[in-house]
Amino acid sequence: MAPKSKSKQPEPAHVPHGYEFGGPLGTAGITFGLPVLCYIFAFACNDVSGCPAPSLLNPKNLSIDQLKAEVGWPENGIWGLASWEATGWTVAYYFFSALLYRLLPATEVEGTELSTGGRLKYRFNAFSSAIFTLVICLAGTIAQGAEFPLWTFISDNYVQILTANILIAYALAAFVYVRSFSVKPGNPQHRLLAAGGCSGNIIYDFYMGRELNPRVTIPVIGEIDIKEWMELRPGMLGWILLNCAFVAKQYRTFGFVSDSIVFVTVVQAIYVLDGIFMEPAILTTIDIINDGFGFMLSFGDLVWVPFIYTQQTRYLSTYPVTLGWLGIAAVSVVLIAGFAIFRLSNLQKNIFRTNPNDPRVAHISYIETKTGSRLMTSGWWGIARHINYLGDWLQSWPYSLPTGFAGYVILSAGTNADGAIKMLDGREVVQGPAKYWGMIFTYFYVVYFAILLIHRDSRDDEKCAKKYGEDWEKYKSIVKYKIVPGIY
């Protein structure tokens, strides 16, 4: 730990901060509603009857018993949503990730200065841990193909693994919430409370997170910064592993792998590995600096990212789509455009922050605020206040576009329907009346991500307005658009 500093004191927990996410009512809805939504996605778009299940397209004639049969509802009811085996292996996965965190070589760096004046130390080796794990999976796949036990286990126990991660997210959020009440002012460990998570309302604080950077010491493993560790390890790597499991499932189901599922899997893997490789950059994000660790981050990191972000490959594992070289090229153009905007804008910002006299940014105009900060008013950041968000959002489209006008119905063997794709077991899959309706699942990520970025922009705007005052208003009068030039 960084040495104790006596120059500053922790920010009082009672400082008024204001509610976000609809306050206690909104956060309660999110806390108990999002897990239900994950189950709806898991069952409504399935490999038993269709995506969506046929009965959902005829709500007037909806029968609960028929719907249960169509979505593959467990025979033993709600208890079938979980299993000791799936939970045990999920916990083992977390422990394996923790072992790699401790055993593999790592870079140790200090975080940003805290309100106490101290800095926390972080151990970074998420990228090498991910590569180590993926190499093991590659070796297993080379040896056993699509029947590699990890891939079959994930696809056969998908719902139960989902449940295990939901339970872990709840348990982790409850643990850090209860433990946060042991934080004392001036403690030598620099434990702090997050201003946004100390409202005094239980459900709101449980969701937002009371403690800023909770840490725990585990036998054998040592000390782990819970927030930073959860942000880039089990869930992000889980995103890649789930995608790979669905690729293997498609091969086992049809005897081939489509170019669409390979494309989505590869570009998402690159996105994830790029983020993990840039692990030190997380120390300057709002998640680390400002947000406490509560259910919002525990559920987002461990459930939302790996299970919602893989809906496209999950869909394609049961309904293969062939893009062809022209389709791949078209989707790639969108991806490259988004990536270029995202990377170039962030690069320009980072260069300007570290060395404003660098020839690459020397031409940039700016406003110098009373706090001493410089706000760029030309270049990428003169186009929109969060032009990088536009690039990030554009990158979400190539994840969904390969699914096309999604939707399918699974027919019994021997139907011989026109345009059907035949499975190795004889069943057939066609789009039929489900066409377009499946887009609810495969394009959900695009809509959700837009909402996330808009909300993040509003949070940043509020933060900057408090920090810069009238200088921020002057800046907004020059850079008028938030994310999309000419539109928003």
Side-chain angles (χ1 to χ4, degrees), residues 30 55 62 66 98 114 122 126 131 138 177 191 194 198 240 269 285 311 318-319 350 362 366 400 426:
I30 296 172
S55 290
L62 185 65
Q66 178 65 23
L114 302 170
Y122 292 85
I131 296 300
L138 176 62
Y177 175 79
R191 295 178 63 195
C198 297
I240 296 179
T285 63
Q311 288 301 308
T318 305
Y319 187 80
N350 291 334
Y366 58 87
S400 299

Side-chain angles (χ1 to χ4, degrees), residues 55 117 142 144 224-225 277 304 381:
S55 290
I142 291 174
Q144 298 178 281
I224 287 181
D225 184 286
F277 182 77
W304 194 256
W381 300 89

Side-chain angles (χ1 to χ4, degrees), residues 166-211:
I166 290 175
L167 293 176
I168 291 172
Y170 273 118
L172 188 59
F175 170 74
V176 295
Y177 175 79
V178 172
R179 189 168 175 267
S180 69
F181 288 95
S182 66
V183 175
K184 304 298 181 183
N187 65 84
Q189 294 81 26
H190 296 291
R191 295 178 63 195
L192 294 171
L193 298 179
C198 297
S199 69
N201 183 279
I202 295 177
I203 188 62
Y204 183 82
D205 294 344
F206 172 80
Y207 176 79
M208 297 297 295
R210 294 188 81 249
E211 189 168 353

Side-chain angles (χ1 to χ4, degrees), residues 408-427:
Y408 61 79
V409 178
I410 298 176
L411 306 174
S412 58
T415 303
N416 295 321
D418 292 337
I421 305 173
K422 291 191 176 182
M423 300 179 181
L424 294 179
D425 63 4
R427 290 182 299 160

Side-chain angles (χ1 to χ4, degrees), residues 294-469:
F295 185 77
M296 175 177 71
L297 291 181
S298 68
F299 184 84
D301 294 342
L302 308 182
V303 181
W304 194 256
V305 167
F307 291 93
I308 293 299
Y309 290 14
T310 54
Q311 288 301 308
Q312 295 84 8
T313 54
R314 183 168 175 266
Y315 170 88
L316 292 169
S317 71
T318 305
Y319 187 80
V321 173
T322 301
L323 296 176
W325 288 110
L326 187 60
I328 292 289
V331 178
S332 296
V333 168
V334 179
L335 176 67
I336 293 171
F339 183 79
I341 294 173
F342 179 77
R343 269 284 175 249
L344 292 175
S345 60
N346 281 326
L347 176 63
Q348 187 180 72
K349 178 180 65 175
N350 291 334
I351 293 173
F352 185 80
R353 282 181 172 178
T354 55
N355 182 17
N357 296 318
D358 188 298
R360 290 173 291 179
V361 296
H363 65 285
I364 299 293
S365 59
Y366 58 87
I367 292 176
E368 185 152 2
T369 69
K370 294 181 179 63
T371 64
S373 299
R374 295 177 176 182
L375 304 176
M376 302 165 66
T377 56
S378 67
W380 282 106
W381 300 89
I383 299 174
R385 300 197 288 273
H386 275 119
I387 190 67
N388 58 330
Y389 287 2
L390 174 61
D392 216 6
W393 185 64
L394 286 175
Q395 290 181 81
S396 70
W397 279 92
Y399 300 167
S400 299
L401 288 173
T403 65
F405 297 115
Y408 61 79
V409 178
I410 298 176
L411 306 174
S412 58
T415 303
N416 295 321
D418 292 337
I421 305 173
K422 291 191 176 182
M423 300 179 181
L424 294 179
D425 63 4
R427 290 182 299 160
E428 302 174 7
V429 58
V430 298
Q431 290 204 282
K435 186 176 183 179
Y436 304 113
W437 289 104
M439 295 173 72
I440 295 173
F441 307 97
T442 62
Y443 286 82
F444 175 81
Y445 175 73
V446 175
V447 177
Y448 154 75
F449 201 45
I451 296 172
L452 173 70
L453 293 174
I454 290 172
H455 178 261
R456 188 179 294 172
D457 171 78
S458 67
R459 293 183 74 192
D460 189 65
D461 183 74
E462 181 182 352
K463 174 186 174 184
C464 290
K466 292 178 179 178
K467 181 178 181 179
Y468 300 121

